[in-house]
Amino acid sequence: MSGEFHLSVVIPNRNRAHSLARAVLSVRDDDAGAEIIVVDDCSDEDLSAEYARLQAMGVRVLRQDSRRRGGAARNRGVREAGGTHVSFLDSDDVWLPGRHDHIRRFYAAPGRDRTVLVSGALLHIDGDIRRPHQPDWRPGRSLVEYCYRDGGRVQTSMLSLPAGIARAHPFDEDLRVNQDTDLAMRMDRAGIAFHIDPEPGVIKEESPRPDRLTTGAETADLSFAWYRRESGDWSPAARSGYFLQDRVWRLADSGRRPAAFAALARSLVPPVSPRETARRALSMIAGEGLYSRLRAGWRQRAPAPVDPGLIAAGERWREFDARARAFCATARDAAAGQPGTIR
């Protein structure tokens, strides 16, 4: 199996140049032989200079003829992937070194041809690198229980799987939100196994931004419609977890505070995480600005132990952020007929 392994990394993109370059360069730095497929979801911005430079590096750039969103872009990338296995990466995330070989070694072991590898993730939030809590997978527990009752993360940039499984179980192209959870739930119901890996393989960008596709009143309603459609066989704890892990912050971010507090109260029947419930309540009562200052003050009073992994990840983020800026400047200079050098 190890001699046959070839990885394709699928990256959907829309209107992003700098962060896309950062993502691509981080993958290429880890393994120059991985196939990288960027699927442009009908960008409004002119990215022709950056795309030309990426293609000169061997990156495959596919363009959608109309805007069909991330699920359709990922599905197209999977259909056209030449690798035996596929990993997904969002265009604002950073691939960590060693992930390619880790995936290769995982699938070299026997009996894993119907298993999804869920890499660990670090978070980039406003310049800080954080290590989120990722609970252990309990044997016999369903994927929905893991995500919502236990608060586990199973997000697209964390997923690697055999290409045949990815083609047999595509993303639901009609969904605008909850695409990753929906896909994982459907694969779990189909008997596909999951392996939750504690080793971080990606830094996810989770800094608050007004243009994020997962925020806003419309996405809160779309997510709730998905929940009502899918939750018929969920346990009471998983339903509470959905309100706590998903519904509350979507409503709060869209400015619907009374509804957010009502959702928080709903998440207590039955309660699944008193600590997280208290944190979200304090955040909504204090407001994000005051809450962030309170958190910062608490960290100064009780600083966390030095974490070399977080320090190294922060250095990698800054390194590839700078390299991406230089890459984009070089691409624009080249498009304008001026010589440039890629670092």
Side-chain angles (χ1 to χ4, degrees), residues 172 179 235 290:
D172 184 340
Q179 296 175 355
S235 71
L290 177 57

Side-chain angles (χ1 to χ4, degrees), residues 111-124:
R112 289 177 169 171
D113 56 338
R114 286 180 58 81
T115 301
V116 177
L117 175 62
V118 183
S119 295
L122 303 177
L123 309 181
H124 176 267

Side-chain angles (χ1 to χ4, degrees), residues 68 82 160 178:
R68 300 176 59 195
S160 302
N178 303 101

Side-chain angles (χ1 to χ4, degrees), residues 15 17 43-51 63 332:
N15 294 332
S43 290
D44 297 320
E45 303 291 330
D46 179 10
L47 305 180
S48 56
E50 290 82 2
Y51 283 158
R63 299 174 188 259
R332 293 289 175 174

Side-chain angles (χ1 to χ4, degrees), residues 141-195:
R141 173 151 291 180
S142 71
L143 197 285
V144 69
E145 294 286 325
Y146 179 74
C147 289
Y148 289 125
R149 176 191 172 109
D150 300 337
R153 286 176 172 263
V154 180
Q155 296 168 300
T156 49
S157 288
M158 302 164 67
L159 303 182
S160 302
L161 63 165
I165 298 295
R167 294 188 182 103
H169 300 275
F171 287 89
D172 184 340
E173 298 184 6
D174 292 330
L175 286 179
R176 286 183 52 189
V177 292
N178 303 101
Q179 296 175 355
D180 40 15
T181 309
D182 178 82
L183 173 68
M185 283 172 46
R186 287 187 284 108
M187 288 194 292
D188 182 47
R189 288 167 176 164
I192 306 299
F194 284 79
H195 177 82

Side-chain angles (χ1 to χ4, degrees), residues 96 99 118-122 132 134 157-158 196-203:
L96 285 173
R99 184 179 182 185
V118 183
S119 295
L122 303 177
Q134 181 78 317
S157 288
M158 302 164 67
I196 308 298
D197 191 347
E199 182 69 22
V202 64
I203 308 173

Side-chain angles (χ1 to χ4, degrees), residues 18-67:
H18 164 250
S19 66
L20 172 66
R22 186 178 62 207
V24 169
L25 291 172
S26 69
V27 177
R28 180 54 55 88
D29 176 75
D30 186 40
D31 191 277
E35 178 185 46
I36 302 175
I37 302 174
V38 173
V39 185
D40 182 88
D41 189 31
C42 201
S43 290
D44 297 320
E45 303 291 330
D46 179 10
L47 305 180
S48 56
E50 290 82 2
Y51 283 158
R53 208 68 175 169
L54 290 174
Q55 288 173 313
M57 293 171 51
V59 175
R60 295 180 62 192
V61 178
L62 310 176
R63 299 174 188 259
Q64 302 281 67
D65 56 8
S66 62
R67 187 181 181 189

